[in-house]
Amino acid sequence: MLPEIGLGLLWLAAALAGLQLLAGGLSLSANGGGMAGIVRPVAIVQGVLAAAAMGILIWLFVQTDLSVKLVAENSHSAKPLMYKIAGTWGNHEGSMLLWVTVMGLGGAFVAAVERRLPEPTMMATLAGQAFVSLGFYAFLLFASNPFARLYPVPEDGNGLNPLLQDPGLAFHPPTLYLGYVGLSIAFSFAIGALITRQVGPDFARAMRPWVLGAWIFLTVGITAGSYWAYYVLGWGGWWFWDPVENASLMPWLAATALLHSCSVLAARNALRAWTVMLGVVAFSMSMVGTFLVRSGILTSVHAFAVDPRRGGFILALLAIYIGGALLLFALRAATVTEGERFAITSREGALVFNNVMLSSILGITLIGTLYPLFTEAMGTKVSVGPPYFTPVSAMFAVPMFVVLLFGPMLRWRRDKFSRVSGVLALPLVVALIAGGWAFAVGVRHVLPLLGLALGPALVVASVLPLRGRSVLRAPLSLWGMVIAHAGIGVALFGMASDSAFTVEKLVAAKVGEVQQVGPWSIKLAEVAPIAGQNWTAMEGVLKARYDGGAEVTLRPQSRTFWAPLQTNAVSALKGRWNGQLYTVLGDETVSDKGESRWQLRLWWKPYVPLIWIGGLLVALGGGLALLSRVAQDLKRRLARAKGGHRRDEVAALAKGDAA
């Protein structure tokens, strides 16, 4: 009965999305103003119904209800509870229901709390959000029903892909979806503002917190996903420019540009057309990512290889949403005024330059991701990987980092570079020292050398906007910018270090043998069988010493799952302040003489954890900025409320005096 209730809730939510779209559209007409009163309540109820449907699906997975096809195909009674819950969205249908749920709750939250926009723009925004939601409801109900029954009921389920049986799965997809849905709200804001021709600072102030929230979740999701792939896949890398990795990176690049453009429009009434266009592009990239992951045209550990007809459905949605938005922008472009002017040498000028660089990297990533698909359609298979993405992206990333050194110190509207040139001496000296050190220790490749020089310089430059201020009294938003920019420098240094200093060793080792990788000596002490709740494994016991120091033990495994049957390598890592030892146990080989050896892959990765520490610092900086914006908004609302009470009191006194 529960699956039918869940499906019924989805149908009701879809019907309410249609009503929300209709009422929101009619409220903009001359005779439909009375419909505006129902739009917000309908949006809230729609979000609650979608959340209830998601809750039912989670409960079906927890109970391992094998009469539900989705549960039987993606769960197992012996699976740990955490992976039963995470398995809810570790598949195509469940992930799309999570998408719709977060979108519904996001629209409900906008309807409940947003009061800064003029009412017509707000109604157009909620109608736009309903229009987007309606397409995804149709996709779920007609092409990807998560509550479909299965007859006959199997004795047990197939289980979840072992690669996804990791705590990262419980965390990574929801954060990305929160980011994607935040961009859908920004898209709806942009559509609403275009429809009512009210693109201005108020629109940007209303949209900015949602863009900032989406950007934070995307940052956390990409950082977590990178580390998850790094330690789960046993390949020793943190980024491979996989098409599905790119599918999450592209919305982040667009959201980063949109966030800065929003700030300029909100504070200085400039970049109006740029902000609206980026709002459309950012959501477009999340839709492109959705198409790539769920169309079945990609083979990736991250992708859901499903019926290509579903990919056609998503492609149709993409064409409708994005094509319609671009058409609306073209029709309304003449009404979107330029806004306030500014000099090239100004903070706005620096932001525009870096936005152009971000957009260029986005274009490069999009072309490199889609090009193999086009050539394959023509009958030729090509591969586009790091040799293309890394150097071509760096052509735009390096100038962007250079401008980031001084951009935040420039004044708004107009400034002179000579005013900040003296302050730049410190980060430039740091860059020369760091670059000289890297060259002295043997780094000769240009990109790692630039990264090792620019990373520390960015960290130093990030704190320079605090000069002359009381550290304790500095605005929280300023601290957010400082920490986020410092995080970029930290992550850049970690990325460059991974390229410049990583040492790898692949050996076939006998038990008792000692291997050397970098400053580590590693002894294979033993290999023994062990068992877990839904797997068995051969576990290696490695005794490792760093430069003759204290001994530490690492336990990499070759793990075999039985539901479904699959063997995976489980890496073992040991971190130090200056890097990370990464170990993987492979297969056993036996020589003609009966001598047993075990394959070992060993890496010493100096400073590589800085990649993820930097990513978390970037997200933390965004969180502080968001907290500052929310606090300022609450203060304004309280001030308006007090002002309204005072006006009511004055009016009452005046009325009493007149009587």
Side-chain angles (χ1 to χ4, degrees), residues 520 522-523 539-545 552-556 571-575 581-583:
W520 288 89
I522 302 162
K523 177 183 177 182
E539 181 180 78
V541 179
L542 305 179
K543 303 294 184 179
R545 295 180 184 273
V552 296
T553 301
L554 294 93
R555 299 178 182 273
S571 60
L573 288 70
K574 176 61 180 177
L581 176 64
Y582 189 116
T583 66

Side-chain angles (χ1 to χ4, degrees), residues 547-565:
D547 207 14
E551 185 178 83
V552 296
T553 301
L554 294 93
R555 299 178 182 273
Q557 299 173 356
S558 178
R559 187 177 291 184
T560 300
F561 292 81
W562 60 75
L565 185 63

